[in-house]
Amino acid sequence: MNSQSEEDYLKALYHLQTESNSVSTNSIANYLKMKPSSVTDMLKKLAEKNYVNYQKYKGTSLSKKGKLVALQIIRKHRLWETFLVEKLDFGWGQVHLIAEQLEHIKSEELIEKLDVFLGNPKYDPHGDPIPNKKGRIEKMNQKLLVELHQNQKGIITGVKRGTASLLSYLDKENIKLGDSVKVLEVIEFDGTFIVEINKRKLTFSEKICQNLLLETYD
Amino acid sequence: MNSQSEEDYLKALYHLQTESNSVSTNSIANYLKMKPSSVTDMLKKLAEKNYVNYQKYKGTSLSKKGKLVALQIIRKHRLWETFLVEKLDFGWGQVHLIAEQLEHIKSEELIEKLDVFLGNPKYDPHGDPIPNKKGRIEKMNQKLLVELHQNQKGIITGVKRGTASLLSYLDKENIKLGDSVKVLEVIEFDGTFIVEINKRKLTFSEKICQNLLLETYD
DNA sequence: TGGAACTTTTAGACTAAACTAAATCTCTCT
DNA sequence: AGAGAGATTTAGTTTAGTCTAAAAGTTCCA
């Protein structure tokens, strides 16, 4: 079992590591708002447990094992965020801090049942993909609604960052993540889209279309 | 903000304290599976913060302030337990340990929204009352179904401890906490009850009646 | 009423995870 | 090449919460 702190470091590593190159001690310290010396200590400990490849002065990268743990925490984080937004009606600014706490709750079964309860969502409300139990992230094919053309279909996966009010608008219209959308018509003049969702015909302004994320199947 | 450990001690105090008499250091140690010396240390700290009345060698009791904090943790615990059983379909043995973790999540708003989401339940699935936001516990008038007589009514609040399978039976029959029950008839011969729930007529064996908790209004 | 048995507290030590300050390493630029 | 800047590590300290061992207090009964 890993401590909360260890989990935070692994998650930070995951978010900071682009492709296969390694991450500097300073950048981790900066990301986690800690002193570099504290980071060094923890990296040694994580290296000891084979979660990271750490070489003095040379940077750090996640091992396979560490990456899997990181992905499982991210899975929990995103499932809880989905729960908070979808079921408890939270806005966005708020969910991150709470999910940051919830992601450390220890129980395999809890997270599997939560997943089922939420309908096995593939994306969280920000449109970020939710890794599966084994840490696999499905290759996603996400587009903004504005990028679709007539007769294309997609599934609503989220909205762009910082557009909380769009989410509440959707909520008011009874539109949820996972709903199917078909583009019936695009009005060239003002960029308005006429779409069909749940057998209802709806009109979306250009601005909405620029912020609504869909998963498309080509 | 209180630490997880502080919260555990306050909760223990609440559970151990019968009426107004004080609790011994040893009994707390025993309850929390810790050494008495550790308990003494923490009690001093809690006394410093005015959560408890502590006198060397004389026992400890919760202050008004400490009791309120304890009740708020118990509120969280019971709401989460309700969530786990009602929404995530957990059995009983499992929920306590998970709720023990969830009860320490810090967010007023989370717990209020959870309360709303669950329909402001007054009892958790064990039939224990859920304190309100201000720490008030409604005086309860709980009885077992077997104690009711013809034409009496009640609201299902839970089942007795250790009868998880009854909960799943109720679930299968589509009966939920909060449903109204009216006793239509009691068969003297075998103690069977004929009741009405949700406009449906149902027959409950004596054993069921001995384990089903109701809130009655006389 | 005095001492054995039990309870409780004190004193001192340990661990995890943070910190500060100082030492060491690496990199780059002239 | 080497000197300075910046990154990183080391060494030593701190805090919360636990522990063990020993000292001190309380209770109760012969």
Side-chain angles (χ1 to χ4, degrees):
Chain A
M1 199 85 314
N2 309 308
S3 72
Q4 188 152 323
S5 193
E6 287 171 326
E7 292 185 351
D8 287 338
Y9 278 90
L10 292 175
K11 198 167 58 119
L13 253 325
Y14 183 87
H15 286 309
L16 291 171
Q17 130 178 317
T18 31
E19 298 306 313
S20 59
N21 35 30
S22 64
V23 178
S24 76
T25 300
N26 255 7
S27 63
I28 301 170
N30 184 52
Y31 188 87
L32 294 175
K33 265 101 207 270
M34 285 201 235
K35 300 298 163 190
S37 54
S38 312
V39 175
T40 301
D41 284 351
M42 183 57 93
L43 289 177
K44 282 181 185 168
K45 188 176 163 193
L46 293 173
E48 195 60 42
K49 292 188 170 194
N50 290 312
Y51 285 131
V52 302
N53 309 115
Y54 165 71
Q55 298 213 113
K56 271 191 187 182
Y57 298 107
K58 302 289 176 160
T60 305
S61 62
L62 282 172
S63 70
K64 203 147 211 166
K65 186 177 159 198
K67 189 171 175 184
L68 182 61
V69 174
L71 281 163
Q72 271 155 359
I73 301 158
I74 289 166
R75 168 173 166 76
K76 292 201 263 178
H77 184 98
R78 292 186 179 161
L79 282 171
W80 280 118
E81 277 201 347
T82 304
F83 170 71
L84 294 172
V85 170
E86 289 259 297
K87 302 292 182 180
L88 296 197
D89 201 32
F90 266 96
W92 273 14
Q94 316 156 284
V95 294
H96 191 72
L97 276 177
I98 301 177
E100 205 99 285
Q101 298 179 64
L102 287 164
E103 74 191 5
H104 297 294
I105 301 291
K106 307 291 199 246
S107 166
E108 282 267 327
E109 201 173 359
L110 171 60
I111 214 65
E112 293 323 313
K113 283 184 183 262
L114 182 64
D115 190 25
V116 170
F117 179 61
L118 296 173
N120 306 108
K122 286 160 73 182
Y123 302 96
D124 76 8
H126 304 284
D128 293 323
I130 299 175
N132 73 11
K133 201 189 314 206
K134 304 218 164 125
R136 260 260 299 298
I137 294 185
E138 293 209 14
K139 185 165 69 257
M140 57 176 165
N141 198 1
Q142 266 196 156
K143 289 187 174 152
L144 293 168
L145 176 52
V146 76
E147 300 173 78
L148 302 205
H149 36 74
Q150 201 172 25
N151 287 324
Q152 253 195 301
K153 293 184 199 162
I155 291 169
I156 299 179
T157 57
V159 305
K160 271 171 62 173
R161 250 163 233 290
T163 51
S165 56
L166 174 50
L167 258 200
S168 35
Y169 167 74
L170 294 176
D171 199 49
K172 211 175 58 203
E173 290 289 334
N174 238 311
I175 295 167
K176 295 195 289 195
L177 300 190
D179 285 352
S180 273
V181 180
K182 179 178 177 184
V183 178
L184 299 177
E185 201 185 338
V186 182
I187 313 292
E188 265 193 58
F189 173 64
D190 61 357
T192 293
F193 275 57
I194 318 276
V195 301
E196 186 182 299
I197 300 179
N198 297 332
K199 319 226 150 128
R200 282 188 299 148
K201 205 190 239 191
L202 291 159
T203 304
F204 283 164
S205 71
E206 184 170 32
K207 182 155 185 200
I208 290 181
C209 300
Q210 283 165 344
N211 287 287
L212 190 62
L213 290 162
L214 305 177
E215 186 191 6
T216 58
Y217 23 94
D218 299 328
Chain B
M1 197 86 318
N2 310 307
S3 71
Q4 187 152 324
S5 193
E6 287 171 327
E7 292 185 350
D8 287 338
Y9 277 89
L10 293 175
K11 197 167 59 120
L13 254 325
Y14 183 87
H15 286 309
L16 292 171
Q17 131 178 318
T18 33
E19 298 306 311
S20 59
N21 35 30
S22 64
V23 178
S24 76
T25 301
N26 256 6
S27 63
I28 301 170
N30 185 52
Y31 188 89
L32 294 175
K33 266 99 205 273
M34 285 201 232
K35 300 298 161 191
S37 54
S38 311
V39 175
T40 300
D41 284 351
M42 183 57 93
L43 289 177
K44 283 181 184 168
K45 188 175 161 193
L46 293 173
E48 195 60 43
K49 291 189 171 191
N50 290 312
Y51 285 131
V52 302
N53 308 115
Y54 164 71
Q55 296 212 114
K56 270 193 188 180
Y57 299 107
K58 301 288 176 165
T60 305
S61 61
L62 282 173
S63 70
K64 203 146 210 166
K65 186 176 160 199
K67 190 172 174 184
L68 183 61
V69 174
L71 281 163
Q72 270 155 358
I73 301 157
I74 288 166
R75 168 174 165 76
K76 292 200 262 178
H77 184 98
R78 293 186 178 160
L79 283 171
W80 280 118
E81 277 201 349
T82 305
F83 169 71
L84 294 173
V85 170
E86 289 259 296
K87 301 293 183 181
L88 296 198
D89 200 32
F90 266 97
W92 274 13
Q94 317 156 284
V95 293
H96 191 73
L97 276 176
I98 301 176
E100 205 97 286
Q101 299 178 63
L102 287 164
E103 73 191 6
H104 298 294
I105 300 292
K106 307 289 198 251
S107 168
E108 281 267 328
E109 201 173 0
L110 171 60
I111 213 65
E112 294 323 314
K113 283 183 184 261
L114 182 64
D115 191 26
V116 170
F117 179 61
L118 297 173
N120 306 108
K122 284 160 73 184
Y123 303 97
D124 76 8
H126 304 285
D128 293 322
I130 299 175
N132 72 13
K133 202 190 311 205
K134 304 215 163 132
R136 260 261 297 299
I137 293 186
E138 294 211 10
K139 186 164 69 257
M140 59 176 163
N141 199 2
Q142 266 196 157
K143 289 186 174 154
L144 292 168
L145 176 52
V146 76
E147 299 173 78
L148 301 205
H149 36 73
Q150 202 171 24
N151 288 324
Q152 252 196 300
K153 292 184 199 162
I155 290 169
I156 299 179
T157 57
V159 304
K160 272 170 61 173
R161 248 164 235 290
T163 51
S165 56
L166 173 51
L167 257 200
S168 35
Y169 167 73
L170 295 176
D171 199 49
K172 211 174 60 201
E173 290 290 335
N174 238 310
I175 296 166
K176 295 195 287 193
L177 300 189
D179 284 352
S180 273
V181 179
K182 179 178 178 186
V183 178
L184 298 178
E185 201 185 339
V186 183
I187 313 290
E188 266 192 58
F189 173 65
D190 62 356
T192 294
F193 275 56
I194 318 277
V195 301
E196 186 182 300
I197 300 178
N198 297 332
K199 319 227 150 126
R200 282 188 300 147
K201 204 190 242 190
L202 290 159
T203 305
F204 282 164
S205 72
E206 185 172 31
K207 182 155 183 199
I208 289 180
C209 301
Q210 284 165 345
N211 287 287
L212 191 60
L213 290 163
L214 305 177
E215 186 190 6
T216 59
Y217 25 93
D218 297 328

